[in-house]
Amino acid sequence: MLLSGALHYFRVLPEQWPQRLAMLRAMGLDTVETYLAWNLHEPEPGRFDFEGRADIGRFLDLAAEAGLDAIVRPGPYICAEWDNGGLPSWLLADRSARLRCHDPVYLGHVARFFDAVLPPVVERQRTRGGNVVMVQVENEYGSFGTDRRYLEWVRDALLERGVDVPLVTSDGPTDHMLTGGSVPGAAATANFGSDPETAFATLARYRPDDPPMCMEFWNGWFDHWGDRHVTRDASDAADVLERILAAGASVNLYMAHGGTNFGTSAGANLGGDESTGAYQPTVTSYDYDAPIDERGAPTAKFHAFREVLAKYQQREIPEPEPLPPLLPAGTVRLDETLRLLDVPPASVAESAEPPTFEELGLHHGLVRYTAEIPGPRKPYDLHLDGLADRAHVYVDGTLAAVLERSGETSVPVEVAGESASLEILVESMGRVNYGPRIGDRKGLVGGVRHERQFLHGWTAATYPVDDISALPWGVPDTAGRGPVFHRGVLTVEEPRDGYLALPGWTKGYAWINGFCLGRYWDRGPQRTLYLPWPLLRPGDNELVVLELDGVAEPVAEIRTEPEL
């Protein structure tokens, strides 16, 4: 019986890994589970990163030091409410790309990723004296496809690279998901949040020889921008956990500790019909209403789970260590400004049709598309086909509309003279991470039409948001419109955790000392961004906010409680 909890190394700063892992042990768990995020480790084809937050070997070693075994789920697809389900955005630069199937081009990329990412996992297997006890083949493939050759290829690729601990798959406990996602040579496990008796009965019907395991016990849930914050009663979740364990099954709490979708790493969903439903981007926080909250503190659910797990844990359960105090509440003025359009773009490209972010080599950020509309002509509707995901539309330098992917994507535009200058500033949000619409490209994906007529002759300038170290602060304001960077100083005596609030601001991104904390949006539900202590230094700290829509009073707040 494995008593496991999910904790994603890529959603927690490395300096905080030991505390989070210790909290898993203090809850009564003996195993930690993590995905491997392909897009984190291979941000560009052939360029790999295993440093800092991407140091999977160190994370596994720290887990061992904390007395935890490990389950590793290398994908290559992971879902996880993570951008594109972990698949790198550069895979989508080719509009004919085929994902998650037995396609030779895709498999070549997966093979290169496995070659790079599996060695630190393989050398830490239980069979070699380490703590890795289980490895997963793909992830919830039964929610996507039926390509048995692909699943067999992934299974064999893991074996060929030295994986010799037990292999598993994980899927929803339904007939089509289990038959589509299971593969010989890997035990099937189930993912669910309630009714374990029915789930295990279904699992046993299809795989009677496999030991029962819930690979994802959904004890909380994630949030989308514009929706309500999701919570689950601790006693209800503890009751289901008790029933899972009473059945003699292994369990993996999803999540034990959620962490944070730092930067632009959050994914998205399509509501209702997962192929045509409304676009729902995921918020920055991945607190997940987990038993260990975003800061690493125990919740009521932690104590309820600890009581249940103690009945099944053979080892002594340590007491949780108290957390240090938070930053004191305060305010920061961000009076220094720099308009985005006064920043030199990272790249500029010209093409007949508007290129996608992926074709431009841009993972996330903003692209300024410019073209001319010939005239004179009547006020026909300007259509942004396939807008992904939000656009400020300027005609002859005047803001005509702010359009969104799941809202209105057209605006009437009249051309009084011989031509009109069209400028479309597109912001990307998370790529869809689940369902049949994996492979979510960004930009003006379907082109731009004035009435039925496609507009051609585009210039596209890119503005990434992952690195702001080269911003030319102090240049004069020449653009007079568009998004604005604001800068101020947060002074602290000692680095501690805190929560950044931006009341009165509308939408954008926030950085502390050059590290992107994530996105904010006044439509909620999330109102504060988690500010981890390792990002701070004693004394002055640079706080930068990119506001896309405008703010009257550029003041940020440091708070002592989250508002999710």
Side-chain angles (χ1 to χ4, degrees):
M1 178 183 286
L2 293 174
L3 304 178
S4 176
L7 192 169
H8 301 151
Y9 62 96
F10 45 86
R11 283 184 159 118
V12 180
L13 299 183
E15 297 88 341
Q16 297 174 303
W17 288 345
Q19 187 271 339
R20 305 300 196 266
L21 291 164
M23 287 295 291
L24 263 65
R25 277 286 294 119
M27 188 163 48
L29 301 174
D30 52 37
T31 305
V32 62
E33 175 272 313
T34 186
Y35 287 120
L36 303 185
W38 183 2
N39 52 10
L40 175 70
H41 292 293
E42 194 179 8
E44 299 172 8
R47 181 174 74 83
F48 288 94
D49 182 6
F50 293 100
E51 301 295 323
R53 198 155 48 105
D55 191 346
I56 180 59
R58 179 166 177 257
F59 177 80
L60 293 172
D61 290 342
L62 289 171
E65 291 176 16
L68 295 168
D69 290 332
I71 299 170
V72 177
R73 303 204 278 172
Y77 162 82
I78 64 173
C79 185
E81 290 71 59
W82 193 251
D83 188 71
N84 210 32
L87 302 178
S89 61
W90 48 258
L91 287 171
L92 307 176
D94 177 1
R95 293 209 190 196
S96 66
R98 296 176 176 87
L99 308 177
R100 301 184 74 191
C101 65
H102 199 277
D103 175 75
V105 175
Y106 174 67
L107 295 183
H109 292 307
V110 176
R112 184 179 65 243
F113 168 60
F114 278 177
D115 286 342
V117 79
L118 286 177
V121 176
V122 166
E123 67 188 31
R124 289 170 173 82
Q125 293 178 105
R126 170 62 55 81
T127 51
R128 307 189 186 193
N131 63 328
V132 176
V133 297
M134 184 179 287
V135 173
Q136 185 172 293
V137 178
E138 239 268 0
N139 184 59
E140 294 184 319
Y141 191 71
S143 299
F144 177 78
T146 61
D147 193 337
R148 179 59 60 84
R149 287 181 67 205
Y150 168 61
L151 283 183
E152 291 173 345
W153 184 94
V154 175
R155 176 201 62 197
D156 294 345
L158 296 172
L159 296 173
E160 290 164 3
R161 288 160 177 80
V163 174
D164 54 13
V165 294
L167 295 177
V168 294
T169 57
S170 71
D171 287 286
T174 65
D175 53 2
H176 67 298
M177 292 182 181
L178 287 170
T179 53
S182 301
V183 64
T189 67
N191 301 339
F192 55 83
S194 60
D195 195 6
E197 295 82 9
T198 301
F200 288 136
T202 304
L203 186 61
R205 193 159 58 246
Y206 286 91
R207 300 294 290 263
D209 297 328
D210 293 348
M213 179 172 183
C214 178
M215 181 58 79
E216 293 185 14
F217 167 42
W218 303 321
N219 58 81
W221 206 244
F222 55 93
D223 293 334
H224 293 126
W225 291 113
D227 288 347
R228 297 181 63 182
H229 175 51
V230 181
T231 60
R232 182 175 183 179
D233 181 74
S235 60
D236 172 64
D239 172 69
V240 175
L241 175 61
E242 176 80 68
R243 289 154 58 193
I244 290 171
L245 300 179
S250 293
V251 68
N252 178 52
L253 307 178
Y254 195 98
M255 298 289 298
H257 169 66
T260 309
N261 296 315
F262 292 116
T264 58
S265 60
N269 292 94
L270 296 176
D273 185 327
E274 290 164 356
S275 62
T276 60
Y279 175 70
Q280 299 174 310
T282 303
V283 303
T284 295
S285 172
Y286 202 64
D287 177 85
Y288 208 86
D289 194 37
I292 303 166
D293 74 9
E294 191 171 11
R295 187 195 169 213
T299 66
K301 196 175 290 181
F302 174 95
H303 296 292
F305 283 9
R306 191 175 193 265
E307 185 175 338
V308 172
L309 292 164
K311 303 173 188 177
Y312 298 88
Q313 179 56 260
Q314 302 300 311
R315 295 186 289 172
E316 181 181 354
I317 300 176
E319 292 294 326
E321 292 290 330
L323 284 170
L326 290 153
L327 289 174
T331 60
V332 179
R333 288 199 62 87
L334 293 92
D335 289 325
E336 190 173 2
T337 60
L338 171 67
R339 292 194 178 273
L340 176 76
L341 298 185
D342 287 331
V343 176
S347 66
V348 178
E350 296 182 354
S351 62
E353 298 178 342
T356 66
F357 279 41
E358 296 76 21
E359 290 167 331
L360 293 166
L362 182 64
H363 178 58
H364 273 300
L366 298 104
V367 173
R368 179 191 182 204
Y369 296 94
T370 54
E372 296 291 319
I373 308 175
R377 57 178 63 185
K378 294 186 288 187
Y380 299 118
D381 280 346
L382 182 78
H383 300 276
L384 276 57
D385 296 333
L387 169 61
D389 297 298
R390 192 169 185 260
H392 290 70
V393 180
Y394 298 90
V395 179
D396 289 333
T398 300
L399 181 65
V402 178
L403 306 177
E404 293 187 17
R405 172 173 177 166
S406 286
E408 184 61 60
T409 58
S410 64
V411 58
V413 173
E414 179 181 9
V415 181
E418 292 185 0
S419 67
S421 173
L422 177 63
E423 184 178 2
I424 306 174
L425 187 66
V426 176
E427 180 206 7
S428 63
M429 297 289 284
R431 289 179 179 82
V432 172
N433 57 257
Y434 177 82
R437 291 290 294 276
I438 290 289
D440 182 24
R441 292 174 175 84
K442 300 302 180 184
L444 300 172
V445 179
V448 178
R449 291 179 294 115
H450 200 210
E451 207 260 343
R452 74 198 66 188
Q453 183 183 77
F454 280 103
L455 299 180
H456 292 92
W458 291 89
T459 299
T462 64
Y463 297 89
V465 294
D466 51 349
D467 183 5
I468 61 167
S469 60
L471 289 180
W473 294 100
V475 303
D477 179 355
T478 59
R481 66 183 186 282
V484 179
F485 288 98
H486 299 259
R487 183 163 71 164
V489 174
L490 168 63
T491 304
V492 303
E493 292 186 7
E494 178 185 358
R496 297 176 180 176
D497 284 344
Y499 300 96
L500 176 69
L502 295 160
W505 302 68
T506 307
K507 189 179 193 300
Y509 305 80
W511 295 260
I512 189 73
N513 293 327
F515 182 94
C516 188
L517 296 174
R519 301 179 176 99
Y520 67 90
W521 202 349
D522 67 352
R523 65 180 51 175
Q526 182 177 0
R527 302 289 181 184
T528 58
L529 292 170
Y530 173 53
L531 180 58
W533 66 263
L535 299 177
L536 299 172
R537 51 181 177 252
D540 291 348
N541 297 265
E542 180 190 63
L543 177 61
V544 175
V545 175
L546 173 59
E547 170 56 47
L548 302 179
D549 293 346
V551 59
E553 185 73 8
V555 176
E557 297 178 2
I558 302 300
R559 296 184 182 175
T560 56
E561 291 185 359
E563 185 179 349
L564 299 179

